[in-house]
Amino acid sequence: VDVCLIPELRFDVPAVMEHIERVLAKDKHAVVVVAEGAGADLFEQTRKTDEGGNLKLPEIGLYLRKRIEEYFAERETGVSIKYHDPSYMIRSVAANASDSIMCMVLSQNAVHGAMAGYTGFTSCIVNNRSAMVPIRILNLASPCKLNPLGRTWERVVSCTHQPKFLSREQIARCREQANQAISE
């Protein structure tokens, strides 16, 4: 992966295009991975929901594809883009043996908890062991967000060799949010 874009990181599209251009010049190919919800700030906000009640997120992949095509057309540089949206492919893959075992473990754990009289919990895997976690604990940790100044994102940036795409204002905002979380 040469560029990884996440919802927690507001990015400058021209900076992303310049980085892709540098990667293409060096490696003759580039892989761009975009998480669902990334670049939402680039679109007009709507409150539309899908059939499941989830907020409909903008099609950032198609948007970036168009911008990449336009960017390289302006420079009269031929570029071939292979666009893959794996969301439905992943959801439509048949369960394998590992999936079946995981479902069995989770369902047995849920039944054991219910038979023991527990309520308000979910069955899950924690550190490779089945566990019963109170739903209120999950709600405290939700939604899970990646800290753009944290170790995990630093590892991504280190592996992809991409710029951080962070402005000074974003860095200050992230630090302020981290300090608020610590004080709570």
Side-chain angles (χ1 to χ4, degrees):
V1 175
D2 299 296
V3 178
C4 181
L5 303 172
I6 58 173
E8 295 85 355
L9 179 71
R10 295 180 79 169
F11 56 88
D12 179 48
V13 176
V16 172
M17 297 302 132
E18 290 167 9
H19 178 65
I20 291 171
E21 186 174 31
R22 283 191 302 272
V23 170
L24 286 173
K26 181 177 146 264
D27 298 335
K28 306 294 183 227
H29 69 277
V31 176
V32 179
V33 176
V34 185
E36 185 177 43
D41 58 300
L42 301 172
F43 299 90
E44 184 179 316
Q45 298 298 315
T46 64
R47 303 306 299 170
K48 292 181 184 176
T49 57
D50 63 13
E51 296 81 20
N54 300 311
L55 192 63
K56 277 190 168 181
L57 297 169
E59 291 287 343
I60 186 65
L62 296 174
Y63 171 79
L64 283 176
R65 178 184 180 168
K66 183 179 177 201
R67 293 293 304 268
I68 292 168
E69 288 170 345
E70 290 169 354
Y71 181 87
F72 286 100
E74 287 172 7
R75 282 152 183 74
E76 298 179 0
T77 304
V79 66
S80 172
I81 299 174
K82 312 296 187 259
Y83 175 75
H84 299 281
D85 182 351
S87 58
Y88 291 101
M89 289 187 287
I90 291 171
R91 294 180 190 137
S92 65
V93 173
N96 61 23
S98 295
D99 296 329
S100 297
I101 291 169
M102 174 77 75
C103 288
M104 181 187 69
V105 168
L106 292 173
S107 62
Q108 286 177 344
N109 196 41
V111 169
H112 285 300
M115 297 294 283
Y118 297 135
T119 60
F121 75 95
T122 187
S123 178
C124 58
I125 302 295
V126 177
N127 292 332
N128 214 23
R129 296 180 187 268
S130 63
M132 291 176 239
V133 176
I135 291 175
R136 63 182 166 73
I137 300 290
L138 292 178
N139 287 339
L140 290 174
S142 184
C144 184
K145 295 196 179 230
L146 183 80
N147 179 358
L149 300 177
R151 247 187 225 167
T152 301
W153 185 246
E154 286 294 328
R155 288 182 184 122
V156 171
V157 170
S158 174
C159 290
T160 61
H161 304 291
Q162 72 184 41
K164 291 186 181 180
F165 303 124
L166 282 172
S167 67
R168 286 192 170 111
E169 294 82 27
Q170 288 175 293
I171 292 171
R173 196 174 324 114
C174 288
R175 286 193 177 134
E176 184 178 308
Q177 289 170 350
N179 290 335
Q180 285 176 347
I182 291 169
S183 64
E184 290 175 359

